[in-house]
Amino acid sequence: MSRLCTVLVLAACLVASAAAADFVVENASRRINLKNTWAKAIDTLKAKNTGGSDLSNFVVCYPESIASRIAVLKVLIKKEKQEVAPLQQAPQGAPAGVSCYQATFKSTVKKGATVDLDVVATVTGVFKPNPAKIAQGEKQYVEYYDNLYLLSPYEVTEQSSTVLLPTSDVRSFSPQDGGSKSGSKVSYAALGKQGPWAVQQLKVHFHHDKPFKRVNSLVREIEVSHWGNIYVEETYEIQNAGSQHTGKFSRLTYAHSPDGKTNSFPDVKAHLPAAAHSLYYKDIIGNISSSDTTHTSRETLIEVRLRYPLMGGWKTDFTLGYSVPLEGFLYRRPKGKLRLLMDLSTSFDDVWVEQLTTRVVLPEGAKHIKATLPFADIQQSWDKKFTYLDTAGRPVLVLSKSNVVPEQNKPFAVDYSFTFTGMMREPLLLISVFAAFFAAVALYNRLDFTITRDEKWQEGQAHDKALGLIQSLTEYWDREADVLDRLVRLAHSISNRPSADAAPASRQALEAELRPLDEQAAGGCVSALVVTASRQALEAELRPLDEQSKALLSQVEALSPKLAAAARNHGDKSKVLLGRAAKLLSDKSDLIKKDVAAHEASAKLAGATRQLEEAIREWVDEGAKLAQG
């Protein structure tokens, strides 16, 4: 196995060496753009095939300090991307600390033909703050290091290098020979012919007027619910990677010195989908309300204001969440499959991400999961997540990538199968749980868990049943109270002789209405007591059949004497109150017939009327207490 590996490495080196001998770069124009917080090097090359056969491979190289921080590397021919892959070993003759990549052309370059290509490298984290620490309000200066020449295994006939800076404030640049500064640009117009692996360090020390927004860690969780929404939650740890702040910090000074804010930032802006809703923004302390959201037809723009401005070296963490509808993000595919289409990385602009983790949480029961990713270096792993009503857990596809810039925020797709039965699983489980709960409660109420049935238990059962029957008598007692109240109102209404003559007839009608109530109430009370006593007697003792009648009669008095006496007493009081009401009505009628004025008659009978009304109220309260046991 080791021999095979050695052979493969030697073969790769031979191929790279052959490629190096078969191309000549006739012209190389390097443009290094440092205006953003990451560098972008664009090499425009004109290469000629000087070999003896057609060629389809081209090697590009960078110093290790640059290559280790390359986020995006593209080789374009007429704006069409070519396949690029890293070489395990640099071609022969390469100096130490060089990393190379091999581009495979989609169409071969004929012998003696030339090809125009652009090599674009986006590089993060290559600015070195100098000074490393600055106070509030001071300018931020950084250094950038690169190779002045095109670092290539090929001979270069003509070349030039241009460095584009964010400001014209340049402290120094080297080498000075052949270089010139014009505004915010440092140029090396004619570097002349150079052989393979030409090396000379390029250094530029300049003022950078933008804060370095670096996301140390980003965890995006995309949870799919087939009930209408996709939930997205992003957890950030963001840091200002520029010159570290030293000394004190004053919010007053910060608010009144716009020129002193260039190396810090109080907020970040995110471009969310236009359909985003239910937004929230929080940190470990709680919800943060200091943010602005603008909805347009193309996007939802949210300006996330941090709790405090991030000076150099400072960092904070927070969580941003939102929801989007299924429409526009989840599509149906042939053979019953579904496709989820989402963006891979952050929606914040002007930031780069050191470590990105995207978690795609699919519904429980999803099968045949397959991801289509925009980059080959994305690592995949699997996890499970348990949420509400989950039993086996939801499958989670975990995507990991390091060193991510905004231009890599490309869509990715996840295909999977999910049936209608799987979608109805949780509602059916919820219905089953509630149905089982209600059935258990109903069964529990119908079961008797009493271990022994002693005399006290029997007495309590008999008393409760008798009390239930007594409570049914309250309806009759309420009607009796109404009749009594009407008799009293009738006595108040007698004011002249005609009404006095009509009073006996009205009283007789009310008494006739009350009479059946008294009979029903009395019958009901006896029935209740008899039923209670009979059941209590049977449950208390099993006496011989010939003695059953005598036992029932004795149990009536033995088990509920107070309840029976109270019920009979309450019924007797209603008759007494009826007699008092009838007498009050008769007395009022007699006084009116004797030509006594109505107000004088009412005054004479005021005491008796008040006493009767109080007695009726007491009687009603007593009935209510009796019904409650």
Side-chain angles (χ1 to χ4, degrees):
M1 185 67 182
S2 59
R3 291 183 178 179
L4 178 60
C5 294
T6 304
V7 170
L8 292 176
V9 171
L10 291 175
C13 293
L14 291 175
V15 170
S17 300
D22 291 336
F23 270 113
V24 171
V25 179
E26 295 182 342
N27 186 279
S29 174
R30 303 197 68 209
R31 297 189 308 277
I32 305 173
N33 190 339
L34 307 181
K35 292 185 176 182
N36 212 321
T37 53
W38 51 82
K40 178 172 283 190
I42 304 175
D43 299 333
T44 302
L45 310 178
K46 183 177 182 180
K48 182 178 181 180
N49 182 356
T50 59
S53 61
D54 298 345
L55 299 176
S56 60
N57 297 320
F58 189 86
V59 176
V60 294
C61 300
Y62 294 92
E64 180 60 32
S65 59
I66 299 293
S68 62
R69 297 299 307 174
I70 291 179
V72 180
L73 179 60
K74 297 182 290 186
V75 176
L76 309 174
I77 297 179
K78 297 180 179 180
K79 298 183 179 181
E80 185 178 4
K81 290 181 64 175
Q82 312 297 309
E83 184 179 350
V84 179
L87 287 175
Q88 297 298 323
Q89 187 172 349
Q92 289 182 347
V98 173
S99 295
C100 297
Y101 303 82
Q102 181 172 275
T104 301
F105 299 149
K106 293 183 178 180
S107 58
T108 59
V109 180
K110 301 296 183 181
K111 176 183 176 181
T114 60
V115 59
D116 294 328
L117 60 152
D118 292 323
V119 181
V120 183
T122 303
V123 192
T124 65
V126 290
F127 295 107
K128 179 183 178 182
N130 185 13
K133 296 181 179 181
I134 59 175
Q136 182 177 354
E138 293 183 349
K139 287 185 176 182
Q140 173 179 252
Y141 287 87
V142 297
E143 293 176 344
Y144 174 78
Y145 296 88
D146 202 343
N147 192 50
L148 177 63
Y149 304 109
L150 177 69
L151 187 58
S152 174
Y154 311 113
E155 180 182 304
V156 181
T157 305
E158 295 180 0
Q159 61 179 309
S160 63
S161 295
T162 303
V163 182
L164 304 177
L165 304 173
T167 65
S168 59
D169 186 358
V170 180
R171 283 189 171 182
S172 64
F173 66 91
S174 63
Q176 294 281 342
D177 296 341
S180 63
K181 174 184 172 299
S182 175
S184 60
K185 182 171 64 174
V186 176
S187 302
Y188 295 88
L191 295 176
K193 183 177 180 180
Q194 300 292 333
W197 311 116
V199 175
Q200 185 172 1
Q201 186 184 67
L202 169 67
K203 173 186 173 183
V204 185
H205 189 194
F206 61 98
H207 170 224
H208 206 303
D209 60 350
K210 291 184 176 65
F212 291 82
K213 304 175 185 178
R214 182 181 68 194
V215 176
N216 295 332
S217 172
L218 167 59
V219 178
R220 301 185 73 230
E221 184 166 278
I222 303 169
E223 184 171 343
V224 181
S225 171
H226 281 248
W227 293 96
N229 281 312
I230 299 172
Y231 305 99
V232 182
E233 185 174 88
E234 302 175 346
T235 302
Y236 290 85
E237 182 188 280
I238 189 169
Q239 183 176 12
N240 187 335
S243 299
Q244 292 188 12
H245 174 76
T246 185
K248 64 180 182 179
F249 170 74
S250 170
R251 282 188 176 270
L252 181 63
T253 304
Y254 186 85
H256 291 84
S257 58
D259 295 337
K261 299 179 181 179
T262 57
N263 65 324
S264 66
F265 58 98
D267 54 44
V268 285
K269 295 180 180 180
H271 302 269
L272 305 180
H277 62 89
S278 304
L279 280 73
Y280 60 90
Y281 165 44
K282 62 181 182 179
D283 61 7
I284 193 172
I285 299 176
N287 185 55
I288 305 175
S289 58
S290 58
S291 59
D292 290 332
T293 304
T294 304
H295 293 276
T296 66
S297 59
R298 299 183 59 184
E299 65 178 4
T300 298
L301 177 63
I302 177 171
E303 182 180 348
V304 177
R305 295 197 183 98
L306 307 176
R307 287 193 181 273
Y308 49 86
L310 282 191
M311 307 298 289
W314 293 7
K315 63 182 178 180
T316 186
D317 49 18
F318 59 87
T319 299
L320 175 66
Y322 59 93
S323 300
V324 292
L326 294 178
E327 184 180 359
F329 299 92
L330 190 66
Y331 303 91
R332 293 197 175 274
R333 304 284 291 172
K335 299 181 181 180
K337 286 195 173 183
L338 299 166
R339 167 166 286 188
L340 174 69
L341 198 63
M342 298 290 291
D343 288 338
L344 177 68
S345 183
T346 177
S347 53
F348 288 123
D349 52 9
D350 294 336
V351 304
W352 82 89
V353 181
E354 283 293 316
Q355 185 59 49
L356 169 67
T357 303
T358 300
R359 295 169 52 88
V360 183
V361 183
L362 299 175
E364 188 176 27
K367 299 178 180 179
H368 308 113
I369 304 170
K370 182 181 179 182
T372 304
L373 305 175
F375 307 107
D377 60 342
I378 299 177
Q379 298 179 357
Q380 299 185 47
S381 60
W382 294 95
D383 194 4
K384 279 190 177 182
K385 181 180 180 181
F386 289 86
T387 58
Y388 306 105
L389 302 178
D390 290 338
T391 54
R394 303 189 180 193
V396 180
L397 173 62
V398 183
L399 306 176
S400 301
K401 191 180 187 311
S402 59
N403 199 16
V404 183
V405 292
E407 67 179 282
Q408 292 178 299
N409 190 21
K410 302 294 184 181
F412 71 97
V414 178
D415 297 327
Y416 63 96
S417 300
F418 189 63
T419 61
F420 178 78
T421 305
M423 186 173 67
M424 297 301 297
R425 181 178 174 278
E426 290 185 355
L428 292 175
L429 179 61
L430 188 64
I431 293 171
S432 301
V433 169
F434 275 103
F437 174 75
F438 290 135
V441 171
L443 181 62
Y444 175 81
N445 289 333
R446 284 164 174 76
L447 293 177
D448 188 1
F449 295 96
T450 304
I451 299 176
T452 60
R453 298 187 178 185
D454 56 7
E455 184 177 352
K456 290 184 179 180
W457 179 85
Q458 294 173 351
E459 290 178 1
Q461 290 291 309
H463 181 271
D464 291 341
K465 293 177 182 178
L467 184 61
L469 294 174
I470 292 299
Q471 288 177 348
S472 65
L473 298 177
T474 56
E475 179 182 353
Y476 305 117
W477 293 342
D478 290 342
R479 293 175 63 184
E480 287 183 357
D482 181 64
V483 171
L484 291 172
D485 184 64
R486 288 162 63 187
L487 284 172
V488 174
R489 290 202 306 270
L490 179 62
H492 283 296
S493 66
I494 298 175
S495 59
N496 50 39
R497 183 176 293 275
S499 60
D501 293 338
S506 300
R507 187 194 70 186
Q508 292 173 2
L510 291 173
E511 289 177 347
E513 181 179 348
L514 188 61
R515 192 174 298 112
L517 296 177
D518 292 337
E519 294 173 357
Q520 293 174 4
C525 181
V526 174
S527 173
L529 295 175
V530 171
V531 170
T532 302
S534 299
R535 182 166 296 180
Q536 179 62 34
L538 289 173
E539 295 174 350
E541 298 179 4
L542 296 176
R543 298 182 182 279
L545 189 59
D546 57 353
E547 298 180 0
Q548 184 176 9
S549 178
K550 187 184 295 184
L552 289 174
L553 292 176
S554 64
Q555 286 294 328
V556 169
E557 298 299 330
L559 293 177
S560 16
K562 290 180 64 177
L563 187 61
R568 292 193 186 95
N569 184 44
H570 192 71
D572 294 340
K573 284 184 179 180
S574 68
K575 295 182 179 62
V576 174
L577 292 174
L578 178 62
R580 291 175 63 180
K583 185 176 183 305
L584 177 64
L585 182 62
S586 176
D587 292 346
K588 184 70 176 290
S589 299
D590 292 343
L591 290 174
I592 295 299
K593 289 178 180 179
K594 292 178 181 180
D595 296 328
V596 178
H599 66 278
E600 293 180 1
S602 298
K604 289 181 179 182
L605 299 176
T609 303
R610 185 168 55 254
Q611 293 176 1
L612 178 59
E613 291 175 342
E614 291 178 356
I616 292 174
R617 284 195 297 270
E618 292 176 357
W619 181 76
V620 171
D621 294 341
E622 181 184 288
K625 292 180 180 179
L626 182 61
Q628 294 176 0

